């Protein structure tokens, strides 16, 4: 890592927040038998997808 590069840890925080939301939604849906928690699970999965996509975007073009 050189001094001019800036790590984008914010996108990884989005991934972790999405994972926690998905786990919380899954647990709540199992315990309460309410189907409304599916939206929290879907939002968590979407947050994970966006986080991984935006985090990986900086490595396109063959840069490692």
């Amino acid at each position: 890592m050189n001094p001019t590069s800036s790590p984008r840890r914010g996108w990884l925080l989005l991934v972790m927040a999405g994972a926690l939301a998905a786990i919380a939604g899954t647990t709540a849906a199992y315990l309460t038998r309410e189907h409304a928690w599916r939206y929290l699970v879907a939002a968590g999965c979407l947050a994970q997808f966006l986080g991984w996509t935006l985090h990986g975007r900086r490595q396109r073009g063959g840069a490692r």
Side-chain angles (χ1 to χ4, degrees):
M1 195 158 131
N2 60 26
T4 59
S5 70
S6 64
R8 296 186 183 182
R9 292 189 181 109
W11 301 127
L12 293 178
L13 290 176
L14 181 63
V15 171
M16 291 305 298
L20 290 175
I23 291 170
T26 302
T27 304
Y30 177 74
L31 293 176
T32 63
R33 305 285 190 224
E34 292 288 330
H35 293 290
W37 291 107
R38 294 179 298 173
Y39 298 113
L40 180 61
V41 175
C45 292
L46 178 65
Q48 287 183 60
F49 173 77
L50 290 175
W52 282 119
T53 302
L54 293 171
H55 176 71
R57 180 178 62 175
R58 69 182 182 134
Q59 292 190 359
R60 288 199 184 149
R64 294 265 177 205

